[in-house]
Amino acid sequence: MTGTDTIRKGLQKNSMLIALVILMLLFQALILATGRGSLFDPLNISNIISQNAYVVILATGMLLCILTGGNIDLSVGSVVAMVGALAGTLIVNMQVNVYLSIFLCLIVGILIGAWQGFWIAFIRIPAFIVTLTGMLLWRGVALLILNGLTISPFPEIYLKYFTSFVPAVDDKGTVMVITNIIGIVVCAVFIAVSVLTRLKKLKKNYAVESVGIFITRTVLISAIVMLLSWLLSMNKGFPVVLILLAVIVLSYSYYTQHTVPGRYLYAMGGNEKAARLSGINTDRVLFFAYTNMGFLSAVAALACVGRFNSASPTAGTNYEMDAIGACYIGGASAYGGTGTVGGAVIGAIFMGVLNNGMSIMGIDANWQRVVKGLVLLFAVVFDVMSKKRAKN
């Protein structure tokens, strides 16, 4: 492979990360030119993280559904509303212990996912139909629980898990030092893991990217982490919800890339019949994907009611579209079998920056929908055209 081919392959592999950086720089230039502030304002960066936490959580679960063969879950927004309504009723109205309420909400999310997964995996009703009925069903249940009313406010002991910051101190100097130290530690761990993983692959004679691409990617990601740490240190530090997102993303990245059950998702999406003949219980894999989607929808619901400090019957509207869009923009294939959790996260951040940048610039909400729709269409078209070129 020539140097040009190596560079081209590296650019293709990291195309969405490069596109995200370009998008952020473009918005920064446009916002500065119009005198509307800065995209990289520390407070705005914290807002982007808080506003798009639900997208990252839902996109992580949606990716697993898409991997099984291009399946999607249209009910996640309604599940968010329903679990949020349950959380508000238990915590605010009934004064149930916060930790018990969180546990019950997560169990309900799992049961909802298992209910839908049963019909999809074992009865083989198309996922589109089952989750479409779920979208109507769970929204109706949310309205019944709330009786059309909004429940608020939530107690501080609950809000601190979704709206507070680390470190929890008021001194600006201490916040700046600790936040940047955390950033340095994260970069050191990331570099160490990347190097060890590469050495392990080389030892087993696996194909790896060139040294130049590896170093460039590692340095770029480390620089982004340090920039994020520096910006957050100028505000209040790391949002606690960012720690929750890191745990979810790292856990599911490891599951999908380094465990046998995780690889079953890709095998099923690549060719379900061949996967079944090779001994994979494809029904169980599909059931797990949707049960897990219910669990992560419940997690997203808990994060959302914490952020808004209320449980509303209109919560979760169009959340399924944001999650699906993030996955496709992040490189997931519309046919299944292709995609990564990291890519879905980049897709979620891409959409978050797009929304935030257009809002700062004062672009009309209707035009924002037009732009988001076109971006999603082009992402899917790019995926389809890439597959056609690969076949030829």
Side-chain angles (χ1 to χ4, degrees):
M1 184 181 292
T2 64
T4 304
D5 292 334
T6 301
I7 293 173
R8 185 171 68 249
K9 193 172 182 179
L11 291 175
Q12 289 176 347
K13 187 176 180 180
N14 300 282
S15 57
M16 279 314 303
L17 181 59
I18 296 170
L20 174 61
V21 173
I22 293 174
L23 178 71
M24 295 183 75
L25 294 176
L26 175 63
F27 268 126
Q28 175 69 358
L30 292 173
I31 292 170
L32 289 176
T34 55
R36 294 178 177 268
S38 171
L39 181 71
F40 294 105
D41 182 88
L43 179 59
N44 189 53
I45 295 297
S46 291
N47 287 337
I48 291 176
I49 293 170
S50 300
Q51 290 168 4
N52 294 279
Y54 78 89
V55 186
V56 175
I57 297 170
L58 294 178
T60 301
M62 191 69 71
L63 175 71
L64 270 60
C65 296
I66 292 173
L67 287 177
T68 60
N71 300 301
I72 56 175
D73 189 336
L74 295 175
S75 69
V76 295
S78 296
V79 174
V80 167
M82 185 264 175
V83 174
L86 178 62
T89 301
L90 292 174
I91 298 173
V92 180
N93 290 353
M94 299 176 66
Q95 300 291 309
V96 177
N97 178 272
V98 168
Y99 304 105
L100 177 59
S101 299
I102 291 174
F103 175 75
L104 291 175
C105 288
L106 294 177
I107 292 297
V108 168
I110 292 172
L111 291 175
I112 290 173
W115 164 263
Q116 297 186 154
F118 169 77
W119 298 109
I120 296 168
F122 299 113
I123 309 302
R124 286 293 170 165
I125 298 175
F128 181 87
I129 301 299
V130 173
T131 57
L132 180 62
T133 60
M135 181 170 67
L136 302 174
L137 171 62
W138 308 122
R139 180 68 65 178
V141 172
L143 291 168
L144 289 172
I145 293 175
L146 294 173
N147 197 26
L149 303 175
T150 297
I151 297 177
S152 66
F154 280 72
E156 285 298 323
I157 190 174
Y158 178 83
L159 296 178
K160 73 177 183 178
Y161 292 108
F162 301 100
T163 60
S164 59
F165 293 82
V166 174
V169 295
D170 294 329
D171 182 65
K172 284 280 187 180
T174 303
V175 169
M176 183 169 288
V177 171
I178 295 178
T179 304
N180 283 303
I181 288 175
I182 293 173
I184 292 171
V185 171
V186 170
C187 288
V189 172
F190 167 71
I191 293 171
V193 171
S194 299
V195 172
L196 290 174
T197 302
R198 179 181 175 83
L199 292 175
K200 187 181 294 185
K201 288 183 177 180
L202 289 172
K203 188 176 180 180
K204 295 180 179 180
N205 294 320
Y206 290 168
V208 295
E209 59 194 355
S210 68
V211 175
I213 295 296
F214 171 77
I215 293 175
T216 302
R217 180 173 61 83
T218 304
V219 170
L220 178 61
I221 294 176
S222 298
I224 292 173
V225 171
M226 285 309 304
L227 175 62
L228 177 63
S229 300
W230 180 67
L231 290 172
L232 292 176
S233 73
M234 297 174 68
N235 185 36
K236 297 179 181 179
F238 286 100
V240 170
V241 72
L242 181 60
I243 299 173
L244 172 65
L245 296 182
V247 171
I248 291 174
V249 170
L250 292 175
S251 299
Y252 281 88
S253 292
Y254 182 83
Y255 176 80
T256 54
Q257 298 295 321
H258 300 287
T259 68
V260 174
R263 302 309 298 177
Y264 285 169
L265 294 163
Y266 290 92
M268 182 177 175
N271 189 321
E272 182 176 353
K273 186 176 181 180
R276 190 184 302 114
L277 291 173
S278 67
I280 297 174
N281 189 331
T282 54
D283 292 346
R284 189 179 298 170
V285 172
L286 195 56
F287 178 76
F288 166 77
Y290 280 91
T291 302
N292 175 74
M293 186 73 256
F295 167 70
L296 288 180
S297 296
V299 175
L302 295 172
C304 285
V305 296
R307 174 177 169 251
F308 294 119
N309 196 16
S310 64
S312 168
T314 59
T317 303
N318 291 329
Y319 280 16
E320 58 278 350
M321 297 296 106
D322 290 335
I324 294 168
C327 290
Y328 288 145
I329 291 172
S333 171
Y335 304 109
T338 302
T340 63
V341 173
V345 172
I346 291 175
I349 298 172
F350 190 97
M351 291 190 67
V353 171
L354 199 63
N355 288 332
N356 185 262
M358 289 190 293
S359 296
I360 293 175
M361 292 181 64
I363 297 175
D364 184 77
N366 296 321
W367 279 108
Q368 290 187 33
R369 292 189 180 94
V370 171
V371 173
K372 288 168 63 177
L374 289 174
V375 168
L376 177 57
L377 174 63
F378 289 143
V380 177
V381 168
F382 177 78
D383 170 57
V384 173
M385 297 302 293
S386 296
K387 281 183 167 48
K388 286 186 177 180
R389 283 200 301 269
K391 288 181 180 179
N392 295 331

